[in-house]
Amino acid sequence: TAGDRKVLMLTLKVVADVALVGVPNAGKSTFLAAVTRAKPKIANYPFTTVVPNLGVWVPPMYNTNDDNKAVEIGGAGSTGLVLCDVPGLVSGASSGAGLGHAFLRHVERCRVILHLVDATSNDPVADFNMLNQEIMKYGNGKLALMPQIVVVNKVDVWEEKQQKKEQEKEGSSSLEEWEQGLKTRMKREELEEQLRGVMTHSRLMWMSAKGGNGVDDLMGRMAAFVQKVKEVDSQQS
C-alpha cells in the first residue's frame, strides 16, 4: 500500500546554558566575545546582531596551553557554559515586533537568562521592565519562570560620564562637544535601588564587558548558579 505523505514545518531552537538578553546595543555581543572565542559583529549602533550567536566559556582551570592541551590552572567550576547571544529585543517583541518571535524562541531552550542592562541608557529601569514584560507575554508564559541573573553593563563608561558631568558643574569640564547638555543620569546607588525595587530576586551584578571589570566574578558565580539549576532540573525530571 502507498505510504502516508505529510508536510512538516520544523522550528530550529538553539540549545544553550545561558541566554544573553537585553535591548539593542546593551553589549551582549561584546560580552560574548570577551568570555568566549566567538567572533560576533560588534559596532556602536543598535541591531548589530541579526541572528543568535553561540560561544563556549571555558573555566580558567581548563584553559589550553600552546600545544592545545587542557591545563589545570585553578578557577571556579569544572565544566564550560554554552552562551547564546540573542539579538536585541524591542517593545512588542512578544507579538513579533523586531522579529521578536524568531529571537525569543531560542531563549526557551536555555536554562538561565542573563539580562544585560545598559548603564548608559536614558532609562535603564524602563528598559529592564519593558524586556521582562515581553518575556512574560511570550508564548505560554514559561519564559517568565526561567531563572534570571541581572547584570548592569558599561559601568566604566557610565561612571566616567558621571565624573565628567560633575567636573562640568565645577567649571572644569572635559566633556566632548557632542556630550554637552546631556542630562545627568542617576548615580549607581539610585540605579541599584530602583532595579532591586522591581526585581523578583537578588541576583544583581555590575560589569564592563569591554573593559573586563567584574567579568571574571560574574562568570564564576554564573557557572555555580547554572550548576544548581541543572541539579534542580535533574531532580524534578
Side-chain angles (χ1 to χ4, degrees):
T1 59
D4 294 334
R5 176 178 295 182
K6 294 182 180 180
V7 176
L8 302 177
M9 179 178 292
L10 303 179
T11 300
L12 174 65
K13 295 182 180 180
V14 171
V15 179
D17 295 306
V18 180
L20 311 182
V21 303
V23 298
N25 210 33
K28 300 180 296 297
S29 296
T30 300
F31 175 69
L32 184 71
V35 299
T36 73
R37 294 188 178 183
K39 303 296 182 184
K41 182 179 180 181
I42 299 173
N44 190 27
Y45 54 81
F47 303 107
T48 309
T49 303
V50 295
V51 294
N53 291 308
L54 289 177
V56 179
W57 171 74
V58 180
M61 66 184 303
Y62 286 100
N63 278 349
T64 56
N65 60 16
D66 294 336
D67 297 326
N68 213 29
K69 295 180 179 179
V71 178
E72 184 172 339
I73 59 175
S78 59
T79 57
L81 294 177
V82 179
L83 310 180
C84 176
D85 172 17
V86 178
L89 301 171
V90 298
S91 180
S94 60
S95 301
L99 295 179
H101 278 166
F103 299 154
L104 283 169
R105 72 185 185 206
H106 295 289
V107 181
E108 290 182 305
R109 297 299 300 274
C110 300
R111 295 182 181 273
V112 172
I113 292 175
L114 182 64
H115 189 151
L116 276 76
V117 177
D118 184 356
T120 66
S121 168
N122 289 329
D123 195 339
V125 180
D127 291 344
F128 174 81
N129 286 330
M130 178 277 294
L131 201 147
N132 271 339
Q133 285 294 320
E134 297 304 324
I135 289 176
M136 291 176 62
K137 294 176 183 176
Y138 177 74
N140 59 7
K142 180 181 177 182
L143 289 188
L145 303 177
M146 188 175 294
Q148 277 197 30
I149 297 174
V150 179
V151 57
V152 180
N153 188 30
K154 304 183 185 180
V155 294
D156 53 340
V157 177
W158 176 56
E159 291 172 349
E160 181 181 353
K161 286 184 178 180
Q162 289 289 345
Q163 184 178 19
K164 286 182 178 179
K165 287 171 186 176
E166 290 177 2
Q167 292 173 346
E168 184 182 36
K169 292 179 180 179
E170 298 172 358
S172 59
S173 174
S174 58
L175 285 169
E176 300 291 339
E177 183 177 353
W178 64 270
E179 293 179 295
Q180 300 293 338
L182 287 178
K183 294 181 180 180
T184 302
R185 298 183 177 93
M186 65 187 77
K187 294 182 179 181
R188 173 168 172 159
E189 293 77 13
E190 296 174 301
L191 178 56
E192 179 172 1
E193 181 180 0
Q194 291 193 28
L195 282 174
R196 291 195 181 280
V198 295
M199 290 169 55
T200 57
H201 55 84
S202 61
R203 295 180 293 275
L204 174 63
M205 300 189 68
W206 307 76
M207 74 166 183
S208 166
K210 184 176 181 180
N213 303 334
V215 172
D216 290 340
D217 184 34
L218 169 63
M219 293 309 301
R221 291 172 180 267
M222 186 161 62
F225 182 66
V226 171
Q227 183 59 36
K228 289 182 180 179
V229 171
K230 288 182 178 180
E231 292 173 357
V232 172
D233 289 346
S234 63
Q235 292 173 0
Q236 294 178 348
S237 60

